[in-house]
Amino acid sequence: MRVNSVQSYAFAHSRAQSVSNGSVSKGPISTSNVVQIVFTGGAKNLKQLASITPENNGLGLPEASQGGEGVVGYEMPASFRKHEGVDARSFMPFWEYDNPKGGYKFVIHREADYPKGVAELPDTMPAKAFYSAEPGETLEVVARKLNLKPSELSYVIQSKPNGVGPEAQSRYCLIEPTSVKGHITRLSDTTLGETEDISYSLFKISANNPSYNKIKGEPHYFIYTPNLAKASKPYAYDSWGNGPFEAEIINSDGMRALAKAIHSQMDVEEFGHFNPASVVAHDRIAHSYATHISNMSAGGNSAVNGVKVHIIAHNTGRNYQGLTSDPFKMLAIVGDASDAPLLKGLPEYQTLVKAMQHGIDNQYMLSARERSMAWAVLDPYLRPFKDGAGTYNVLKTGIAAAATNPSNITTGTVSHTFDAEMRSIETPDAAKFLTGDYAAIETKSVLNGSTPANLALDNPNANFGRGNNGLTAQKAGFTTFRYDGTNIEEVIAAREKNAKWFTTLIGDAHSQGQDALNRLFFNEGQLAEGQKVIGYLKPMQDGDKLIMGWGRPDEQKGYNITLEGFKKFLQRKDIPLEEKLKFRVVTGAGKWYEEAKDYKSIVRIINEIETMDGGAFKGLVMHVDGFFPNRLVGCATYGMFTSRREMCGITPLECKIAGVPYAATRTGGPVDYTNSSNGFLTKEVVEGRPERYGLTWANSVDEIDDARCARQADQISDIFAEMLEEQKGDRKAYIAKCKKNIEEKIDWHNNAEYNGGKSANRAYLEDIFETHKSWDERPKNPLKRVAGEFGQFKEKAEDIFKVTAKNRTMKIVLTVLGVVAVGSGAYYLYKKQKPAENNTAINKVA
């Protein structure tokens, strides 16, 4: 493909490729504020990119904002569009609150109540206004069913209501159907050798949406399947990623559908001829995307030839890898419809059917021979997806695809340091049981950015948390600020004033009782979920310091390290009591599972601090067990982020936006962008090899983790002491740190200082997608399939042994039936055979 011309603010209907900043409708895509690239030859467009992610903060829905990835999902394509002239469009899986049927969902807005239709809908709607349809029922069908005009219904994604009952209010996102629909075919996950058709359709976001929706009218899409629509979050499992493996199959179906839609169905006028040459696939749910396009290409679908796919592993911790020991479930993800007749034609088919029905390792229903037979057939096919623990791993779908088709498929993470950690045996838990797999391929990683404007520190109308809480009711007391290049001390003064406002609200609420303290942070719906505050903070005075850390409720985030480090600081003999009493520490995360080890540690440590020295330290430490508003960084003196492992770290970047110096553990992204001029780092990585702590792998997981956390807590105690010394001086060093942070270029298009001399945008576009090269230079050969081939189970004479006992010679001929590796072990199976006529045999050692 060659570029014939570049046209600004023009529209060419034939093969026009455009960037949209407005509504994507069934008419030609909007071309306002774009640089138009016109191509010939029907090839892929190098100036178009698809971004697939399960989260996007721009929607303003809590389900799409579970962690830092929601920031990336929103900001990356927006930055490509705004700063690079790239037609970057975002795609998400469909989801709905309380939609067990799996049909579409609608919001009802009768003309009598809303004569102007969707244009005047409020930001929240009562639960009674939402209707779940049967699968296949369209808007027109439902309108007739409910005796409504079609104009009184809209397709919608409903968020969980804040409260219970028909009047409980829900946030929502209005969506519109597109012409893209169809079905994908995959191996059945219930009947071996059969296929299953999964219907899908593509929706786009509506230009009419609530005020909190920042991407309304932008090129943003949702892929629907009935099973995705049953999920209450866009992962098809809970927010910690620990749902059943069936969720991985459901998400894989979504990726198959997107691969077909993006590369075969959107190159029409309705979508402005969207035909992207590049795809960025975020997180575990999108890892299988590369496997699917490899299968498509190998099967003769040339629509994906030449496409470059980059898979970003946002979290390679063991809990985020997507694991199963069931090969039949993995087949449903990586298999192809063409495998169905192959499976049925295998001589071992009936044994495989039995293994699928009862479980391949079921010793009661399958003989050792049958189990070995099933493994002998399936293991060679699935071996590319097996990790170092012998389990099938969803992240291996991306790793294996990059190893098989490295010219078109790449993978990596979101910082240079964490890239090295997940490949190193010195940090074995960074990508547990995948270290060798990542080390064996070329990974490509880019330090991601963060867009300062999205934190709303200068917006007096912005709310705190989910809204309808005490903080939002008192938001007028929050002093907004904006840095103009000269007023750093005004920024610091505003934060100090906000710290007093914040802690005074906490102190007043605490004096009224626990319920009042909980209501300060949470609305009725959150309170009904059990979200609450543990501990409290005394109001701050001049010279006091507020240390703040926040993130997901996840063992990765290591809140226990922060709190244990603070406890050790308070126990130090070299720090006067009056200096210790000037500190306040608050951590916050989404609602914890209360049996989690770290949650129990948080509760225990806070209790220990509050009872130390006769209660001298009550009111110095607090944990918010529920959604923590990141906008509260505008109250902090320092940030504190003590992750066990950290890929990029959005929260320290949010500190920079507010001009807040911070401390972090020495892992991942914070190492890339933290130094003595802007913050503090611990001396060593958290999750080192057990030998560093005088232990071995024979010690328990908890013993190793406790030793690691204790070592880090000592170093965090030292950092608290360094913060104290910095504040006790003339504060020039502190002011310099604040200035350095707020002036650092961390946005996607200008974070070159900490990204190897090139911005994140340019690194992705040039180093990974090579958009500066021509289409003719793209590798366009058909891709190879990622999976292996089905194995064979052979029986042949191997050994005959002569055994003598009690003057009787027992002649036994043993036949090796199979040697099948399963994880780190093997099955050696034998059967008796009549001795040879001459009573001799050749002894062969397997």
Side-chain angles (χ1 to χ4, degrees):
M1 179 174 64
R2 300 186 185 279
V3 178
N4 281 355
S5 64
V6 178
Q7 300 175 342
S8 296
Y9 309 101
F11 184 79
H13 288 279
S14 176
R15 309 297 301 166
Q17 313 297 329
S18 63
V19 182
S20 171
N21 288 318
S23 174
V24 181
S25 66
K26 288 192 176 182
I29 193 169
S30 167
T31 57
S32 62
N33 300 321
V34 305
V35 175
Q36 190 97 40
I37 310 295
V38 181
F39 294 93
T40 61
K44 302 296 178 186
N45 192 332
L46 292 166
K47 295 289 287 184
Q48 291 181 333
L49 179 145
S51 174
I52 303 170
T53 176
E55 293 188 21
N56 192 310
N57 283 9
L59 296 177
L61 304 182
E63 294 87 350
S65 307
Q66 298 292 318
E69 188 186 321
V71 177
V72 176
Y74 168 48
E75 293 183 355
M76 175 190 274
S79 186
F80 281 148
R81 290 194 296 269
K82 181 177 180 180
H83 298 289
E84 312 299 339
V86 172
D87 182 1
R89 308 192 190 183
S90 50
F91 297 80
M92 292 182 71
F94 203 93
W95 82 96
E96 292 284 7
Y97 165 72
D98 190 23
N99 194 45
K101 297 175 183 178
Y104 302 134
K105 202 158 201 176
F106 301 92
V107 62
I108 301 169
H109 41 85
R110 292 180 173 84
E111 282 185 3
D113 300 318
Y114 305 101
K116 295 181 180 179
V118 294
E120 65 171 330
L121 293 185
D123 280 358
T124 60
M125 292 286 285
K128 65 184 181 183
F130 296 91
Y131 177 83
S132 292
E134 298 287 340
E137 289 185 336
T138 63
L139 183 146
E140 290 74 19
V141 170
V142 172
R144 288 195 297 271
K145 189 175 182 179
L146 299 181
N147 197 27
L148 296 170
K149 297 178 182 178
S151 60
E152 295 179 308
L153 282 175
S154 294
Y155 289 94
V156 72
I157 289 177
Q158 181 192 3
S159 184
K160 184 177 181 179
N162 281 324
V164 294
E167 298 298 331
Q169 298 293 304
S170 275
R171 288 192 173 199
Y172 60 93
C173 177
L174 297 175
I175 56 178
E176 300 171 8
T178 71
S179 65
V180 172
K181 59 186 64 177
H183 71 270
I184 51 96
T185 303
R186 64 156 166 84
L187 288 175
S188 171
D189 58 332
T190 57
T191 307
L192 190 72
E194 298 296 333
T195 59
E196 186 172 343
D197 286 346
I198 312 294
S199 63
Y200 70 86
S201 53
L202 191 72
F203 286 80
K204 65 181 180 181
I205 198 166
S206 172
N208 294 301
N209 254 299
S211 62
Y212 47 76
N213 192 311
K214 301 176 184 177
I215 54 176
K216 50 189 172 185
E218 295 289 349
H220 181 86
Y221 306 90
F222 301 88
I223 190 71
Y224 164 90
T225 71
N227 279 330
L228 284 173
K230 295 176 183 178
S232 60
K233 292 184 175 71
Y235 288 92
Y237 39 68
D238 65 67
S239 62
W240 294 275
N242 296 322
F245 195 80
E246 284 73 16
E248 311 298 343
I249 300 173
I250 293 169
N251 285 316
S252 174
D253 291 342
M255 292 304 108
R256 290 179 196 266
L258 276 178
K260 184 175 178 180
I262 290 172
H263 301 297
S264 301
Q265 295 179 285
M266 297 183 74
D267 187 11
V268 294
E269 186 172 339
E270 175 188 347
F271 300 98
H273 291 285
F274 188 62
N275 196 11
S278 306
V279 178
V280 57
H282 297 271
D283 205 17
R284 175 168 106 211
I285 73 160
H287 271 62
S288 64
Y289 190 90
T291 299
H292 300 324
I293 70 162
S294 297
N295 287 347
M296 290 167 64
S297 180
N301 186 339
S302 62
V304 296
N305 293 355
V307 171
K308 279 184 175 287
V309 176
H310 182 64
I311 304 160
I312 299 181
H314 283 270
N315 196 325
T316 54
R318 189 62 172 169
N319 289 341
Y320 287 84
Q321 292 175 9
L323 309 172
T324 184
S325 59
D326 187 339
F328 299 102
K329 289 183 179 179
M330 198 67 188
L331 272 176
I333 289 182
V334 302
D336 193 73
S338 63
D339 294 319
L342 295 178
L343 282 165
K344 278 193 167 182
L346 292 170
E348 301 87 357
Y349 175 70
Q350 291 302 327
T351 299
L352 292 173
V353 170
K354 185 177 179 182
M356 186 176 189
Q357 179 183 359
H358 299 292
I360 195 169
D361 287 327
N362 190 321
Q363 299 181 30
Y364 299 100
M365 302 302 296
L366 278 74
S367 68
R369 179 178 182 275
E370 288 172 323
R371 298 196 304 273
S372 181
M373 183 183 293
W375 280 116
V377 173
L378 296 178
D379 190 69
Y381 181 95
L382 293 173
R383 196 170 296 146
F385 312 107
K386 186 175 283 187
D387 61 28
T391 47
Y392 300 118
N393 194 319
V394 172
L395 294 196
K396 281 296 297 283
T397 63
I399 296 170
T404 303
N405 298 299
S407 296
N408 293 85
I409 298 168
T410 54
T411 188
T413 186
V414 287
S415 84
H416 308 293
T417 297
F418 196 77
D419 183 288
E421 288 179 43
M422 69 185 192
R423 296 159 56 89
S424 172
I425 60 173
E426 295 303 316
T427 47
D429 286 349
K432 195 169 187 177
F433 298 124
L434 293 176
T435 304
D437 295 299
Y438 280 117
I441 64 173
E442 180 187 5
T443 51
K444 294 188 176 183
S445 298
V446 177
L447 178 64
N448 281 194
S450 186
T451 303
N454 294 329
L455 208 53
L457 292 171
D458 60 346
N459 180 5
N461 297 316
N463 292 328
F464 290 91
R466 304 293 189 217
N468 297 320
N469 54 36
L471 288 173
T472 293
Q474 299 290 333
K475 65 183 178 183
F478 180 84
T479 302
T480 57
F481 57 87
R482 175 183 293 196
Y483 181 62
D484 65 9
T486 63
N487 64 335
I488 189 59
E489 295 196 48
E490 289 180 16
V491 169
I492 295 171
R495 291 205 317 266
E496 291 174 345
K497 186 176 179 181
N498 288 336
K500 292 178 180 178
W501 164 81
F502 178 54
T503 56
T504 297
L505 288 177
I506 293 170
D508 289 346
H510 174 259
S511 68
Q512 299 171 44
Q514 188 66 44
D515 286 347
L517 185 55
N518 294 341
R519 291 177 186 279
L520 184 64
F521 286 87
F522 306 119
N523 58 41
E524 293 297 330
Q526 292 171 300
L527 294 171
E529 295 173 351
Q531 298 189 40
K532 60 186 178 301
V533 176
I534 302 165
Y536 73 100
L537 300 181
K538 295 178 181 177
M540 290 176 60
Q541 306 300 320
D542 290 344
D544 290 351
K545 294 156 280 291
L546 179 61
I547 317 302
M548 185 179 292
W550 66 96
R552 295 193 312 277
D554 190 305
E555 55 83 29
Q556 175 201 336
K557 296 301 181 180
Y559 302 104
N560 57 314
I561 297 174
T562 292
L563 298 175
E564 184 68 22
F566 185 51
K567 187 183 81 172
K568 290 188 174 187
F569 170 75
L570 296 176
Q571 291 171 330
R572 292 173 70 128
K573 303 300 184 184
D574 59 329
I575 307 294
L577 175 62
E578 61 270 20
E579 298 294 349
K580 297 174 184 177
L581 296 177
K582 292 180 179 179
F583 279 84
R584 307 287 186 279
V585 174
V586 57
T587 56
K591 183 74 180 72
W592 275 96
Y593 167 60
E594 295 192 1
E595 292 302 309
K597 177 188 174 186
D598 276 18
Y599 176 79
K600 291 181 176 179
S601 294
I602 289 167
V603 175
R604 173 183 56 79
I605 296 168
I606 290 177
N607 181 64
E608 289 173 352
I609 290 174
E610 289 187 332
T611 56
M612 280 168 46
D613 295 351
F617 304 117
K618 276 189 175 181
L620 300 191
V621 62
M622 184 178 82
H623 179 78
V624 179
D625 182 32
F627 186 83
F628 189 88
N630 60 357
R631 192 168 180 246
L632 286 173
V633 69
C635 307
T637 313
Y638 292 101
M640 179 70 75
F641 308 101
T642 53
S643 297
R644 288 175 169 91
R645 73 203 77 90
E646 185 59 70
M647 294 78 222
C648 178
I650 294 297
T651 46
L653 295 180
E654 290 173 336
C655 277
K656 291 182 183 295
I657 293 166
V660 174
Y662 57 90
T665 41
R666 188 174 289 276
T667 173
V671 181
D672 291 355
Y673 53 71
T674 305
N675 53 53
S676 60
S677 69
N678 59 20
F680 308 86
L681 284 171
T682 57
K683 295 181 176 63
E684 58 186 2
V685 71
V686 184
E687 294 186 318
R689 295 174 62 82
E691 292 83 359
R692 288 190 180 193
Y693 317 100
L695 303 174
T696 71
W697 290 114
N699 289 92
S700 71
V701 171
D702 283 348
E703 287 173 329
I704 294 171
D705 180 63
D706 289 346
R708 289 167 167 171
C709 292
R711 179 80 64 87
Q712 287 293 310
D714 287 336
Q715 296 172 34
I716 292 298
S717 172
D718 291 339
I719 289 176
F720 273 109
E722 290 180 54
M723 291 175 175
L724 175 61
E725 287 303 311
E726 188 168 79
Q727 292 291 313
K728 285 173 64 179
D730 60 9
R731 294 226 307 169
K732 288 182 179 179
Y734 176 73
I735 294 171
K737 276 192 171 87
C738 295
K739 190 172 188 294
K740 171 63 174 170
N741 276 297
I742 207 166
E743 290 182 348
E744 283 179 352
K745 305 298 184 183
I746 61 171
D747 211 334
W748 292 82
H749 69 288
N750 63 6
N751 63 345
E753 179 181 354
Y754 297 110
N755 207 28
K758 187 176 288 189
S759 73
N761 283 356
R762 300 317 305 172
Y764 279 115
L765 294 176
E766 295 174 7
D767 299 343
I768 293 177
F769 295 121
E770 298 181 326
T771 58
H772 59 294
K773 295 182 179 180
S774 71
W775 177 252
D776 291 340
E777 296 175 87
R778 275 284 180 100
K780 293 182 285 295
N781 292 328
L783 304 180
K784 300 175 184 177
R785 288 200 66 182
V786 182
E789 297 181 354
F790 293 112
Q792 293 181 326
F793 182 76
K794 297 181 179 180
E795 298 179 331
K796 56 184 178 180
E798 290 288 337
D799 296 326
I800 300 175
F801 293 97
K802 187 179 293 184
V803 181
T804 304
K806 294 184 180 180
N807 295 323
R808 275 175 49 179
T809 302
M810 300 176 64
K811 302 178 181 66
I812 302 174
V813 179
L814 298 179
T815 300
V816 177
L817 297 182
V819 180
V820 183
V822 182
S824 58
Y827 294 116
Y828 293 83
L829 307 176
Y830 304 90
K831 73 175 183 180
K832 290 183 179 180
Q833 182 169 312
K834 293 180 180 179
E837 290 183 359
N838 60 2
N839 294 328
T840 62
I842 300 174
N843 183 20
K844 294 182 179 180
V845 180

